[in-house]
Amino acid sequence: MFQLFLERLEEMIGLENLKSEVKEFIAISKMNKIRKEKGFATSGFNLHSLFLGNPGTGKTTVARIVAELLYQKGLIATNKLIEVSRGDLIGGYQGQTAIKTREHLHAALGGVLFIDEAYSLKHGSGDNFGQEAIDEILKFMEDHRRDMVVIFAGYHKEMAEFLETNSGLKSRIPTTFDFEDYSPDEIAQIGEFILQGQGYQYDVESYRAVVKEAYATTDDHSNGRWIRNFNQKLLAHMSRRVTKDESSDFNTITSEDLEKMREA
């Protein structure tokens, strides 16, 4: 099973540096666990991590794979990943935030807690509810640093500012993973992977050319999200065409469909 999830990581398009970092992270963590069990000194056995990158760069997908790898190597006790964001943790009145936050922390005990857009936990110095959530997380991370993994995910700039105002968090997160933006070629590969998975036929070179041309001119660089939206619009053009002529092949994206995307 471990090899299966390692292969899933390798199959992800791009992210070559990140893949190496994840494998190194797992290997070092396993070594530390073995050394600790044998009574040797370790460099610290804390798996809390930062996942930094722009939208659509695969942070959530990689977190799920990392959770599986950690479980398969015996580094966490249970095979689970709990995903939360500010809305899941912040309450509507004083005291409710601590209760909600503790509920999610306990749910993730033994596994992985993935906090998406973690920088949004606190909106300015006057956000008492946000501070309440952070205080609960800090205490739980300290009390259960051997029993769970917390992954804080978000954009580089916002997370850097967030951590500068929360030294307690910064000191408790030893590992950072950087998720690079995809290149235009990688964006096209992701788009092809999606279409092929849905059984569509298309001219590869024409598709790649239109995708890269569109990505070069867009202001929306949300990576995987952008190409999913691109494909959705492409299939909308195709659906309008084929529903007018039901003799058309419902599985083939034509040059006409691609040209519509170029015009758009």
Side-chain angles (χ1 to χ4, degrees), residues 148-180:
M148 71 179 301
V149 178
V150 181
I151 297 175
F152 297 84
Y155 311 149
H156 286 92
K157 179 176 180 292
E158 288 84 349
M159 286 299 290
E161 294 171 353
F162 172 63
L163 291 171
E164 283 302 318
T165 61
N166 292 276
S167 58
L169 273 175
K170 192 174 183 179
S171 65
R172 286 171 172 80
I173 310 173
T175 306
T176 298
F177 295 101
D178 284 306
F179 290 70
E180 299 176 358

Side-chain angles (χ1 to χ4, degrees), residues 191-192 194-195 207 227-236:
E192 289 186 70
I194 295 169
L195 292 178
Y207 175 81
I227 190 60
R228 286 193 293 272
N229 290 336
F230 179 94
N231 279 355
Q232 186 174 344
K233 292 172 185 174
L234 172 61
L235 295 177

Side-chain angles (χ1 to χ4, degrees), residues 195 200-203 206-207 210-211 214 230-245 248-264:
L195 292 178
Y200 289 104
Q201 304 294 317
Y202 56 93
D203 180 79
S206 298
Y207 175 81
V210 172
V211 168
F230 179 94
N231 279 355
Q232 186 174 344
K233 292 172 185 174
L234 172 61
L235 295 177
H237 287 303
M238 175 188 171
S239 65
R240 284 193 288 269
R241 175 179 57 78
V242 298
T243 51
K244 289 178 184 177
D245 179 8
S248 299
D249 184 349
F250 278 63
N251 286 324
T252 300
I253 297 168
T254 66
S255 58
E256 178 186 341
D257 302 325
L258 290 168
E259 189 58 36
K260 289 287 186 183
M261 290 301 295
R262 178 172 274 123
E263 292 171 3

Side-chain angles (χ1 to χ4, degrees), residues 122-189:
K122 189 173 181 183
H123 293 158
S125 58
D127 184 0
N128 294 328
F129 289 171
Q131 187 60 52
E132 189 177 0
I134 292 169
D135 290 343
E136 286 295 326
I137 294 168
L138 282 171
K139 185 177 186 305
F140 208 86
M141 287 171 66
E142 187 62 31
D143 293 345
H144 299 278
R145 60 185 180 277
R146 302 283 192 271
D147 306 320
M148 71 179 301
V149 178
V150 181
I151 297 175
F152 297 84
Y155 311 149
H156 286 92
K157 179 176 180 292
E158 288 84 349
M159 286 299 290
E161 294 171 353
F162 172 63
L163 291 171
E164 283 302 318
T165 61
N166 292 276
S167 58
L169 273 175
K170 192 174 183 179
S171 65
R172 286 171 172 80
I173 310 173
T175 306
T176 298
F177 295 101
D178 284 306
F179 290 70
E180 299 176 358
D181 286 336
Y182 292 110
S183 69
D185 281 326
E186 290 167 345
I187 289 290
Q189 288 178 49

Side-chain angles (χ1 to χ4, degrees), residues 37-54:
E37 290 170 347
K38 291 181 178 293
F40 297 119
T42 70
S43 57
F45 195 54
N46 179 346
L47 303 179
H48 304 315
S49 305
L50 291 175
F51 278 27
L52 305 181
N54 288 327

